[in-house]
Amino acid sequence: MRLAASGAALWLTGVALTGCGAVPGLSGDNEVTLRVVAADYGDNPQNSSAGYWKNLATAFEKDNPGVKVEVSVYSWSEVDAKVAAMVKAGKAPDIAQIGAYADYAEAGKLYTADELLSVKTEADFLAPLADAGKVRRVQYGMPFVASTRLLFYNTKLLGDAGIIPKDGSTPWQPKSWADVEAAAKKLKAANVPTPFALPLGREEAQAETMMWMLSGGGGYTDNEEAYAIDSAENVKTFEFLRDRMVGQGLTGPVEPGKLDRQAAFDAFTRGEVGMLNGHPTLLKQATGKGVKFGMVAMPTADGTDHSAMGVADWVMAFKNGHKKEAGKFLDQLYSAKNVTAFTNQYDLLPVTTSGYRAMEAANGGSSTQLRTFLTALPNSRLYPVGKKSWAGVSEDIKQNIGKAVQPGAQPAKVLEQIADSARKADGEK
């Protein structure tokens, strides 16, 4: 849950980090260098993930003489492609923290989790997330952080538009898409620049797409886990978005296919967006800018309950001959101290049982708001990350799903093209 989990620092091209390391000229011939590639969850230079990884590398090197750790941190818009290019060039990193793992597992390039982790670490993963990290019942992908999604709304804008009381005494409680459409129309009439932000740009279109598909009773796969991207339910979902949201001018001045998630978040924190789907990172960003907001479960097509979307980002270790060293580093990465430090910094959800219990028990601050997200995590639906084709399918969605909501578009045709490519890539008939 990127969070395919999470923030994206578009300002960051790439930051290479090392811990303390050995003194030049004094290193022994047996020194091992672990190369780690990670995604950035910050939204500006001050809260970049680079600092977290630097501290982690420094502490690990101190406890493990003879092992050097080099970490490269990239924005979410490029980290998956960076790792793919490294692998293609025969220079795979030892450890990668990215959005998908199954294609590398299918190619036989990854160590299994039980080859790497201590029994204590492996057993601490939340069961649904550990299961999502498996290919043919063997775990290769280790969840890093998770998130679920809720619909955020600006309480001042909704109050000024007459959707809720101006004093905020009654929260907004939409149940169906009709409720969302009606509210968006009132926001438009009140001159809100973007009544409903619909980010279907390259950054995280696959997440926005899945949220709408699930709320429409569909999803990326059917009950047999075969691709069902072009299902009747999904087609109806995108016809609604094309006709009722985009077609009525309710999604703002930027074409959805060109609107990235972080740009939508930034606009929300500037008070320019009435509603948008968001993950826990938006809590801190909006609070930091003084925006008053509410959160509700994503309304559905007909007002009945459907599964919410969960997202996990993944850690994997490539077979570079450094299994022992990589395993020790991962055990440290998943220690309760380090898991809590990262999830607290970015208001994300823990992937371990110990972290889950700690967040449930926490009082005050963002922990109270995060519990709303946490409650949805155990029963949420994740991307089909166990499919070797998912990385390519996700990229196809990023490039093309925005076309489905353009005026005059044919959603059925766009979804069929994506689905046909997905089935072919996955070896489905």
Side-chain angles (χ1 to χ4, degrees), residues 300-334:
T300 62
D302 57 5
T304 60
D305 291 339
H306 294 305
S307 297
M309 185 185 78
V311 180
D313 297 328
W314 301 96
V315 172
M316 62 216 70
F318 287 86
K319 292 181 177 179
N320 289 347
H322 297 154
K323 179 174 66 175
K324 179 181 177 181
E325 294 82 4
K328 285 186 176 181
F329 184 79
L330 292 171
D331 278 336
Q332 179 168 309
L333 175 68
Y334 286 108

CSV table of all heavy atoms in Angstrom, one decimal, residues 300-334:
chain,number,residue,atom,x,y,z
A,300,THR,N,-19.5,4.6,-2.5
A,300,THR,CA,-19.6,3.6,-3.6
A,300,THR,C,-20.7,4.0,-4.6
A,300,THR,O,-21.5,4.9,-4.4
A,300,THR,CB,-19.9,2.2,-3.0
A,300,THR,OG1,-21.2,2.3,-2.3
A,300,THR,CG2,-18.8,1.8,-2.0
A,301,ALA,N,-20.7,3.2,-5.7
A,301,ALA,CA,-21.6,3.5,-6.8
A,301,ALA,C,-23.1,3.6,-6.3
A,301,ALA,O,-23.8,4.5,-6.6
A,301,ALA,CB,-21.5,2.5,-7.9
A,302,ASP,N,-23.5,2.6,-5.4
A,302,ASP,CA,-24.9,2.5,-5.0
A,302,ASP,C,-25.1,2.7,-3.5
A,302,ASP,O,-26.2,2.5,-3.0
A,302,ASP,CB,-25.5,1.2,-5.5
A,302,ASP,CG,-24.7,0.0,-4.9
A,302,ASP,OD1,-23.7,0.2,-4.1
A,302,ASP,OD2,-25.0,-1.1,-5.3
A,303,GLY,N,-24.0,3.0,-2.8
A,303,GLY,CA,-24.1,3.3,-1.4
A,303,GLY,C,-23.9,2.0,-0.5
A,303,GLY,O,-24.0,2.1,0.7
A,304,THR,N,-23.7,0.9,-1.1
A,304,THR,CA,-23.5,-0.4,-0.4
A,304,THR,C,-22.0,-0.5,-0.1
A,304,THR,O,-21.2,0.1,-0.8
A,304,THR,CB,-24.0,-1.6,-1.1
A,304,THR,OG1,-23.3,-1.7,-2.4
A,304,THR,CG2,-25.5,-1.5,-1.3
A,305,ASP,N,-21.6,-1.3,0.9
A,305,ASP,CA,-20.2,-1.4,1.2
A,305,ASP,C,-19.4,-2.3,0.2
A,305,ASP,O,-19.9,-3.3,-0.3
A,305,ASP,CB,-20.1,-2.1,2.6
A,305,ASP,CG,-20.6,-1.2,3.7
A,305,ASP,OD1,-20.6,0.1,3.5
A,305,ASP,OD2,-20.9,-1.7,4.8
A,306,HIS,N,-18.2,-1.8,-0.1
A,306,HIS,CA,-17.3,-2.6,-0.9
A,306,HIS,C,-15.9,-2.5,-0.2
A,306,HIS,O,-15.7,-1.7,0.7
A,306,HIS,CB,-17.2,-2.0,-2.3
A,306,HIS,CG,-18.4,-2.1,-3.1
A,306,HIS,ND1,-19.1,-3.3,-3.3
A,306,HIS,CD2,-19.2,-1.2,-3.8
A,306,HIS,CE1,-20.2,-3.1,-4.1
A,306,HIS,NE2,-20.3,-1.8,-4.3
A,307,SER,N,-15.0,-3.4,-0.7
A,307,SER,CA,-13.7,-3.5,-0.1
A,307,SER,C,-13.0,-2.1,-0.3
A,307,SER,O,-13.1,-1.5,-1.4
A,307,SER,CB,-12.9,-4.6,-0.7
A,307,SER,OG,-13.5,-5.8,-0.4
A,308,ALA,N,-12.2,-1.7,0.7
A,308,ALA,CA,-11.3,-0.6,0.5
A,308,ALA,C,-10.0,-1.0,-0.1
A,308,ALA,O,-9.7,-2.2,-0.1
A,308,ALA,CB,-11.1,0.1,1.8
A,309,MET,N,-9.2,-0.1,-0.6
A,309,MET,CA,-7.9,-0.4,-1.2
A,309,MET,C,-6.8,-0.3,-0.1
A,309,MET,O,-6.8,0.7,0.6
A,309,MET,CB,-7.6,0.5,-2.3
A,309,MET,CG,-6.3,0.1,-3.0
A,309,MET,SD,-5.8,1.3,-4.3
A,309,MET,CE,-5.1,2.6,-3.3
A,310,GLY,N,-6.0,-1.3,-0.1
A,310,GLY,CA,-4.8,-1.3,0.7
A,310,GLY,C,-3.6,-1.3,-0.2
A,310,GLY,O,-3.7,-1.8,-1.3
A,311,VAL,N,-2.5,-0.6,0.2
A,311,VAL,CA,-1.3,-0.6,-0.6
A,311,VAL,C,-0.1,-0.9,0.3
A,311,VAL,O,-0.1,-0.5,1.5
A,311,VAL,CB,-1.1,0.8,-1.2
A,311,VAL,CG1,0.1,0.9,-2.0
A,311,VAL,CG2,-2.3,1.2,-2.0
A,312,ALA,N,0.8,-1.7,-0.2
A,312,ALA,CA,2.0,-1.9,0.5
A,312,ALA,C,3.2,-1.7,-0.5
A,312,ALA,O,3.0,-2.0,-1.7
A,312,ALA,CB,2.1,-3.4,1.0
A,313,ASP,N,4.2,-1.1,0.0
A,313,ASP,CA,5.4,-1.0,-0.8
A,313,ASP,C,6.4,-2.1,-0.3
A,313,ASP,O,6.2,-2.6,0.8
A,313,ASP,CB,6.1,0.4,-0.6
A,313,ASP,CG,5.2,1.5,-1.1
A,313,ASP,OD1,4.4,1.3,-2.0
A,313,ASP,OD2,5.2,2.6,-0.5
A,314,TRP,N,7.3,-2.5,-1.2
A,314,TRP,CA,8.0,-3.8,-1.0
A,314,TRP,C,9.5,-3.6,-0.9
A,314,TRP,O,10.1,-2.7,-1.5
A,314,TRP,CB,7.6,-4.7,-2.1
A,314,TRP,CG,6.2,-5.0,-2.2
A,314,TRP,CD1,5.2,-4.3,-3.0
A,314,TRP,CD2,5.4,-5.8,-1.4
A,314,TRP,NE1,4.0,-4.8,-2.7
A,314,TRP,CE2,4.0,-5.7,-1.7
A,314,TRP,CE3,5.8,-6.8,-0.4
A,314,TRP,CZ2,3.0,-6.4,-1.1
A,314,TRP,CZ3,4.8,-7.5,0.3
A,314,TRP,CH2,3.4,-7.3,-0.1
A,315,VAL,N,10.1,-4.5,-0.1
A,315,VAL,CA,11.5,-4.7,0.0
A,315,VAL,C,11.9,-6.0,-0.6
A,315,VAL,O,11.2,-7.0,-0.3
A,315,VAL,CB,12.0,-4.5,1.4
A,315,VAL,CG1,13.5,-4.9,1.5
A,315,VAL,CG2,11.8,-3.1,1.9
A,316,MET,N,12.9,-6.1,-1.4
A,316,MET,CA,13.4,-7.4,-1.9
A,316,MET,C,14.9,-7.4,-1.9
A,316,MET,O,15.6,-6.3,-1.9
A,316,MET,CB,12.9,-7.6,-3.3
A,316,MET,CG,13.3,-6.5,-4.3
A,316,MET,SD,12.1,-6.1,-5.5
A,316,MET,CE,10.9,-5.2,-4.5
A,317,ALA,N,15.5,-8.6,-1.9
A,317,ALA,CA,17.0,-8.7,-1.9
A,317,ALA,C,17.4,-9.5,-3.1
A,317,ALA,O,16.9,-10.7,-3.3
A,317,ALA,CB,17.5,-9.3,-0.6
A,318,PHE,N,18.2,-9.0,-3.9
A,318,PHE,CA,18.7,-9.7,-5.1
A,318,PHE,C,19.9,-10.6,-4.8
A,318,PHE,O,20.6,-10.4,-3.9
A,318,PHE,CB,19.1,-8.7,-6.2
A,318,PHE,CG,18.0,-7.9,-6.8
A,318,PHE,CD1,17.5,-6.8,-6.2
A,318,PHE,CD2,17.4,-8.4,-8.0
A,318,PHE,CE1,16.4,-6.1,-6.8
A,318,PHE,CE2,16.4,-7.7,-8.6
A,318,PHE,CZ,15.9,-6.5,-8.0
A,319,LYS,N,19.9,-11.7,-5.6
A,319,LYS,CA,20.9,-12.7,-5.4
A,319,LYS,C,22.3,-12.2,-5.9
A,319,LYS,O,22.7,-12.6,-7.0
A,319,LYS,CB,20.5,-14.0,-6.1
A,319,LYS,CG,19.3,-14.7,-5.5
A,319,LYS,CD,19.0,-16.0,-6.3
A,319,LYS,CE,17.9,-16.7,-5.7
A,319,LYS,NZ,17.5,-18.0,-6.4
A,320,ASN,N,23.0,-11.4,-5.1
A,320,ASN,CA,24.3,-10.9,-5.4
A,320,ASN,C,25.4,-11.5,-4.6
A,320,ASN,O,26.5,-11.0,-4.7
A,320,ASN,CB,24.3,-9.4,-5.2
A,320,ASN,CG,23.4,-8.6,-6.3
A,320,ASN,OD1,23.0,-9.2,-7.3
A,320,ASN,ND2,23.2,-7.4,-6.0
A,321,GLY,N,25.1,-12.6,-3.9
A,321,GLY,CA,26.1,-13.2,-3.1
A,321,GLY,C,26.3,-12.6,-1.7
A,321,GLY,O,27.2,-13.0,-1.0
A,322,HIS,N,25.4,-11.7,-1.3
A,322,HIS,CA,25.5,-11.0,0.0
A,322,HIS,C,24.3,-11.4,0.9
A,322,HIS,O,23.8,-10.5,1.6
A,322,HIS,CB,25.6,-9.5,-0.2
A,322,HIS,CG,26.8,-9.1,-0.9
A,322,HIS,ND1,26.9,-7.9,-1.7
A,322,HIS,CD2,28.0,-9.7,-1.1
A,322,HIS,CE1,28.1,-7.8,-2.2
A,322,HIS,NE2,28.8,-8.8,-1.9
A,323,LYS,N,23.9,-12.6,0.8
A,323,LYS,CA,22.7,-13.0,1.5
A,323,LYS,C,22.8,-12.8,3.0
A,323,LYS,O,21.9,-12.3,3.7
A,323,LYS,CB,22.4,-14.5,1.3
A,323,LYS,CG,21.2,-15.1,2.0
A,323,LYS,CD,20.9,-16.5,1.6
A,323,LYS,CE,22.0,-17.4,2.0
A,323,LYS,NZ,21.7,-18.9,1.7
A,324,LYS,N,23.9,-13.2,3.6
A,324,LYS,CA,24.1,-13.0,5.1
A,324,LYS,C,24.0,-11.5,5.5
A,324,LYS,O,23.3,-11.2,6.4
A,324,LYS,CB,25.4,-13.6,5.5
A,324,LYS,CG,25.7,-13.5,7.0
A,324,LYS,CD,27.1,-14.1,7.3
A,324,LYS,CE,27.4,-13.9,8.8
A,324,LYS,NZ,28.8,-14.5,9.1
A,325,GLU,N,24.8,-10.7,4.8
A,325,GLU,CA,24.8,-9.3,5.1
A,325,GLU,C,23.5,-8.6,4.9
A,325,GLU,O,23.0,-7.8,5.7
A,325,GLU,CB,25.9,-8.6,4.3
A,325,GLU,CG,27.3,-9.0,4.6
A,325,GLU,CD,27.8,-10.3,3.9
A,325,GLU,OE1,26.9,-10.8,3.1
A,325,GLU,OE2,28.9,-10.8,4.2
A,326,ALA,N,22.8,-8.9,3.7
A,326,ALA,CA,21.5,-8.4,3.4
A,326,ALA,C,20.5,-8.8,4.5
A,326,ALA,O,19.7,-8.0,4.9
A,326,ALA,CB,21.1,-8.8,2.1
A,327,GLY,N,20.6,-10.0,4.9
A,327,GLY,CA,19.7,-10.5,6.0
A,327,GLY,C,19.8,-9.8,7.3
A,327,GLY,O,18.8,-9.4,7.9
A,328,LYS,N,21.1,-9.5,7.7
A,328,LYS,CA,21.3,-8.8,8.9
A,328,LYS,C,20.8,-7.3,8.8
A,328,LYS,O,20.2,-6.8,9.7
A,328,LYS,CB,22.8,-8.7,9.2
A,328,LYS,CG,23.4,-10.0,9.8
A,328,LYS,CD,24.8,-9.8,10.2
A,328,LYS,CE,25.4,-11.1,10.8
A,328,LYS,NZ,26.8,-10.9,11.2
A,329,PHE,N,21.0,-6.7,7.6
A,329,PHE,CA,20.5,-5.4,7.4
A,329,PHE,C,19.0,-5.3,7.5
A,329,PHE,O,18.4,-4.4,8.1
A,329,PHE,CB,21.0,-4.8,6.1
A,329,PHE,CG,20.6,-3.4,5.8
A,329,PHE,CD1,21.4,-2.4,6.4
A,329,PHE,CD2,19.6,-3.1,5.0
A,329,PHE,CE1,21.0,-1.0,6.2
A,329,PHE,CE2,19.2,-1.7,4.8
A,329,PHE,CZ,20.0,-0.7,5.3
A,330,LEU,N,18.3,-6.3,6.9
A,330,LEU,CA,16.9,-6.3,6.9
A,330,LEU,C,16.3,-6.6,8.3
A,330,LEU,O,15.3,-6.0,8.7
A,330,LEU,CB,16.4,-7.4,5.9
A,330,LEU,CG,16.6,-7.1,4.4
A,330,LEU,CD1,16.3,-8.3,3.6
A,330,LEU,CD2,15.8,-5.9,4.0
A,331,ASP,N,17.0,-7.4,9.1
A,331,ASP,CA,16.5,-7.6,10.5
A,331,ASP,C,16.6,-6.3,11.2
A,331,ASP,O,15.7,-6.0,12.0
A,331,ASP,CB,17.4,-8.7,11.1
A,331,ASP,CG,17.0,-10.1,10.8
A,331,ASP,OD1,15.8,-10.3,10.5
A,331,ASP,OD2,17.9,-11.0,10.9
A,332,GLN,N,17.6,-5.5,10.9
A,332,GLN,CA,17.7,-4.2,11.6
A,332,GLN,C,16.6,-3.2,11.1
A,332,GLN,O,16.0,-2.5,11.8
A,332,GLN,CB,19.0,-3.6,11.4
A,332,GLN,CG,19.2,-2.2,12.0
A,332,GLN,CD,20.6,-1.7,12.0
A,332,GLN,OE1,21.5,-2.4,12.5
A,332,GLN,NE2,20.9,-0.5,11.5
A,333,LEU,N,16.4,-3.3,9.7
A,333,LEU,CA,15.3,-2.4,9.1
A,333,LEU,C,14.0,-2.7,9.8
A,333,LEU,O,13.2,-1.7,10.0
A,333,LEU,CB,15.3,-2.7,7.6
A,333,LEU,CG,14.2,-2.0,6.8
A,333,LEU,CD1,14.4,-0.5,6.8
A,333,LEU,CD2,14.1,-2.6,5.4
A,334,TYR,N,13.7,-4.0,10.1
A,334,TYR,CA,12.4,-4.3,10.6
A,334,TYR,C,12.3,-4.4,12.1
A,334,TYR,O,11.3,-4.9,12.7
A,334,TYR,CB,11.9,-5.7,10.0
A,334,TYR,CG,11.5,-5.5,8.5
A,334,TYR,CD1,12.3,-6.0,7.5
A,334,TYR,CD2,10.3,-4.9,8.2
A,334,TYR,CE1,11.9,-5.9,6.2
A,334,TYR,CE2,9.9,-4.7,6.9
A,334,TYR,CZ,10.7,-5.2,5.9
A,334,TYR,OH,10.3,-5.1,4.6
